[in-house]
Amino acid sequence: KAGVTQTPRYLIKTRGQQVTLSCSPISGHRSVSWYQQTPGQGLQFLFEYFSETQRNKGNFPGRFSGRQFSNSRSEMNVSTLELGDSALYLCASSTSGSGIREQYFGPGTRLTVT
Amino acid sequence: SQQGEEDPQALSIQEGENATMNCSYKTSINNLQWYRQNSGRGLVHLILIRSNEREKHSGRLRVTLDTSKKSSSLLITASRAADTASYFCATARWETSGSRLTFGEGTQLTVNP
């Protein structure tokens, strides 16, 4: 089976712009979770989608949003980018909800905000 | 906030030696998972231990869980240079809003050839 894929792998944006990141889970996985990783805050949970419904959300401002499509592919959007949004964004897929079983991570999207 | 705290933050050993990493957490959990990350890339799942289990093995990995002390340890035996990576523990708990994984700060392991 193909692994989790994320596009794009690298992205450079300017403050105030918005960005959309994409994640394709492993075939058959219905749960997709998103995480932000920074040197200062570590790995932080953003949100989880299961069968097109957001089931759980971390403590991030409303500028961070996401969605999941019927084929389980997921996108996350960050509007009005701030310098502090520079991070590695990881998505992970699982057969069940995040935390219930092991998660399979994609390679991440490295976002740099200038 | 991070649920888990890992100890040590960094560990440097020689090939062939064993490496032990510890993880402590604060609240009740349903399971605890260990992941490895190579230099800014995606995480790789290593092992999952349920709250009613005390020890689990997978190849050269041994994980223990002590729910009374809210702690876990990961032992890598006969380490190799390829084991050089960051290791994270992650706790899973069911909440009214769903389940989530909460990661620790990680241990940077360097295995010198």
Side-chain angles (χ1 to χ4, degrees):
Chain A
K1 278 185 180 177
V4 177
T5 59
Q6 291 186 247
T7 57
R9 293 291 311 279
Y10 302 92
L11 206 48
I12 300 175
K13 289 286 188 178
T14 305
R15 269 181 303 175
Q17 288 185 315
Q18 75 165 21
V19 67
T20 299
L21 311 182
S22 180
C23 172
S24 292
I26 291 173
S27 177
H29 286 191
R30 296 164 65 188
S31 167
V32 174
S33 298
W34 288 89
Y35 297 85
Q36 181 197 66
Q37 186 177 29
T38 60
Q41 297 298 315
L43 275 155
Q44 294 191 294
F45 173 79
L46 279 157
F47 30 64
E48 182 215 353
Y49 286 87
F50 187 87
S51 294
E52 301 180 66
T53 302
Q54 186 182 88
R55 291 208 302 194
N56 208 346
K57 189 177 185 340
N59 296 324
F60 278 82
R63 300 185 296 107
F64 292 81
S65 63
R67 60 178 176 168
Q68 186 180 34
F69 302 95
S70 58
N71 62 357
S72 292
R73 189 177 69 86
S74 177
E75 289 181 347
M76 69 163 281
N77 184 275
V78 188
S79 62
T80 320
L81 284 165
E82 300 177 359
L83 294 178
D85 297 333
S86 294
L88 180 66
Y89 290 89
L90 296 161
C91 84
S93 74
S94 177
T95 54
S96 301
S98 64
I100 297 175
R101 297 196 187 285
E102 63 270 24
Q103 294 192 60
Y104 296 84
F105 281 80
T109 294
R110 173 77 61 185
L111 172 64
T112 302
V113 182
T114 62
Chain B
S1 62
Q2 295 293 324
Q3 157 91 303
E5 294 181 3
E6 293 181 65
D7 167 52
Q9 287 190 329
L11 181 61
S12 181
I13 59 174
Q14 297 298 123
E15 235 177 358
E17 294 181 338
N18 295 340
T20 299
M21 287 160 268
N22 302 297
C23 169
S24 60
Y25 56 92
K26 298 174 183 173
T27 63
S28 61
I29 63 172
N30 295 95
N31 68 59
L32 186 144
Q33 303 177 31
W34 285 89
Y35 289 82
R36 184 188 75 222
Q37 183 179 38
N38 288 86
S39 192
R41 306 184 70 174
L43 280 75
V44 174
H45 180 265
L46 296 175
I47 200 161
L48 181 155
I49 185 165
R50 293 182 170 77
S51 59
N52 61 353
E53 297 176 309
R54 292 295 168 258
E55 188 171 312
K56 206 160 183 181
H57 296 254
S58 176
R60 294 183 297 113
L61 306 180
R62 172 178 170 255
V63 167
T64 61
L65 178 64
D66 187 334
T67 53
S68 66
K69 295 181 179 178
K70 293 187 169 57
S71 68
S72 174
S73 68
L74 169 68
L75 168 67
I76 304 175
T77 60
S79 62
R80 307 164 182 169
D83 295 328
T84 295
S86 292
Y87 291 81
F88 295 89
C89 69
T91 53
R93 40 185 277 123
W94 275 240
E95 302 172 343
T96 52
S97 55
S99 62
R100 68 168 68 186
L101 274 184
T102 305
F103 284 85
E105 296 170 352
T107 293
Q108 173 61 51
L109 173 66
T110 302
V111 182
N112 301 298

